[in-house]
Amino acid sequence: MLDIKFIRENPDIVKKTLAEKCLTLDVDELLAIDKKIIQIKQLMEAELQKRNALSKEMPKASPERKEEIKELSKNSGQQAASYAEELKPLEEQFKSMMGMTPTIPAPDVPRGTSEDENVVIRQVGEKPTFDFELKDHVELMDLNNWGEFKKISQICGSRTVGIKGELLQLEMALWQFTINKLMTKGFTVMSVPSLSFENAFYHTGHFPFDYDSVYSIPKDNLYLAGTAEVILNSIHAGDILKESDLPIMYAGFSPCFRREAGAAGKDTRGLIRVHQFSKVEQYIICKADVAESDKMHQFILQNAEEVMQEMEIPYQIIANCTGDMGAGKYRMNDIEAWCPGQNQYRETHSCSSLLDWQARRTNIRYREDETGKVKYAYTLNNTGLATPRVLVAFIENHQQADGSVRIPKALQPYMGGKTKIGGK
RNA sequence: GGAGAGUUGGCAGAGUGGUAAUGCAGCGGAUUGCUAAUCCGUCAUCAUGAAAAUGAUGCACAGGUUCGAGUCCUGUACUCUCCGCCA
């Protein structure tokens, strides 16, 4: 969410951003409510002030005066309570509208209304050519007995899968490779639960925007997070950090759950879109400085690219346009991996800068060394590695004529020295 | 699942219904000058104000009792101790 002071002073910029991001929010109404809340609060505060003054007098008052004070104080209290009652619905509406206010995107972000207007900013790696008939990942999995699709779906529902044999070994090697890399880059690596309370989802901004894409466990008031970001972001909720603590860099590993409610009939085949997967997520809290945030953005993007390069998977970097980036984002770059079996690039990573939008919701602040002032921090996140989706690109790119899959050099130590898996 | 004890500022830590002590750290200022000490102020949010300042709110969270709640009551979350169950 934005600073209300900024909205008061720049309503036109906010309106323009809403249009660019294809969001609807009545800014004039928000400002009207803001004004009204302040008016009522002033009246309420005047009553409370009266009551406080009377309370102060109370212990030293004569018995008759005490009775008088009781009466006066009660009146003020009741008056204040009625103002508070009046405020309640206004504040609720204010809060929910504030939650919808958008971060003003970076000036160089492409303007557009849907993902069709995203811009490819660079392509890295060479697409492989095959002198045999190439297979897609499902065919490769069948051939090598790497997947349990049918039985698992019957037990666990659609979009679930069991990963078997050497493909599981590969999956785990990829996690380990990524965790090790991020550790050497200075990240605090941490496995985090997927279960969390509702609050954490509001903090990140997943709620109220994406309510339908999250699994809930009503009996225990818990929800299943679709990304470790939800948990990592709330670790410092309410904290006032020291500037010298920043940047805080977490690499979280967790099972991730997504209902995929809006994706009925889409990507139903194979590993592309499943309800449960595992992910290493990069998450950063840095000081409130756009240049610093941009630097961090490039850093976490670079980390993800390095993994892709060392895995020898061709990919492209997308500049997501305003209409595809979500309310909170200042800048967003997806990484899409080349998947020869589908003859297209598929999203495997999503790198986002949110400035203070998320930190305001979560109440993550820090004390500036020089001034002693308390400021909202900036937050960023990017995928480190998401399996099994990245396995699709991995095995399709590295497949051989006999159905085996070669293991790039960098990963061989994590695979017990194997140079290939599967095949005859 | 059962029983008990807790949760107070960046940190530590008092506070048994009447203005949230005190210490440390940070920031601002004063003073003295050998790398520091001492003193004063400030130290979360909001409103009014050019500012100084003034006022309101803030003691895990949400309610309640009361003229008045950190303090009493109810619910929730978490932490610790013990019992039970358990990979």
Side-chain angles (χ1 to χ4, degrees), chain A residues 313-330:
Chain A
I313 298 171
Y315 62 89
Q316 62 183 16
I317 305 289
I318 301 293
N320 295 70
C321 75
T322 49
D324 189 39
M325 68 195 299
K329 296 182 182 179
Y330 172 72

Side-chain angles (χ1 to χ4, degrees), chain A residues 105-136:
Chain A
D108 58 323
V109 167
R111 266 52 187 172
T113 54
S114 78
E115 59 179 0
D116 301 332
E117 286 162 88
N118 291 344
V119 175
V120 177
I121 51 180
R122 63 174 182 274
Q123 297 187 324
V124 181
E126 230 169 274
K127 293 180 190 172
T129 52
F130 302 97
D131 54 7
F132 54 88
E133 199 173 324
L134 69 88
K135 301 174 186 68
D136 77 3

Side-chain angles (χ1 to χ4, degrees), chain A residues 173-187 189 249 251 280 282 299-311 384-385 410 414:
Chain A
L174 285 166
W175 296 337
Q176 216 180 339
F177 177 86
T178 309
I179 291 281
N180 285 4
K181 170 176 278 289
L182 293 176
M183 245 176 130
T184 62
K185 296 251 182 184
F187 284 81
V189 300
M249 312 200 295
V280 180
Q282 308 176 71
F299 174 63
I300 56 179
L301 188 60
Q302 173 68 24
N303 295 339
E305 287 193 59
E306 281 178 23
V307 174
M308 296 300 268
Q309 285 166 18
E310 286 172 87
M311 291 308 108
L385 176 103
Y414 295 84

Side-chain angles (χ1 to χ4, degrees), chain A residues 282-297:
Chain A
Q282 308 176 71
Y283 173 85
I284 288 186
I285 303 173
C286 74
K287 59 183 179 183
D289 177 78
V290 173
E292 172 79 359
S293 174
D294 283 344
K295 203 176 102 195
M296 288 295 157
H297 189 97

Side-chain angles (χ1 to χ4, degrees), chain A residues 142-163:
Chain A
D142 284 344
L143 183 88
N144 289 301
N145 193 25
W146 283 340
E148 192 62 72
F149 288 102
K150 202 171 170 198
K151 286 288 179 195
I152 292 294
S153 295
Q154 284 167 358
I155 301 163
C156 307
S158 66
R159 298 187 188 278
T160 61
V161 65
I163 290 172

Side-chain angles (χ1 to χ4, degrees), chain A residues 324-349:
Chain A
D324 189 39
M325 68 195 299
K329 296 182 182 179
Y330 172 72
R331 183 190 303 285
M332 177 174 177
N333 295 111
D334 283 352
I335 299 180
E336 298 179 343
W338 174 247
C339 296
Q342 341 217 344
N343 197 33
Q344 60 172 320
Y345 285 95
R346 299 299 310 239
E347 180 190 335
T348 51
H349 304 63

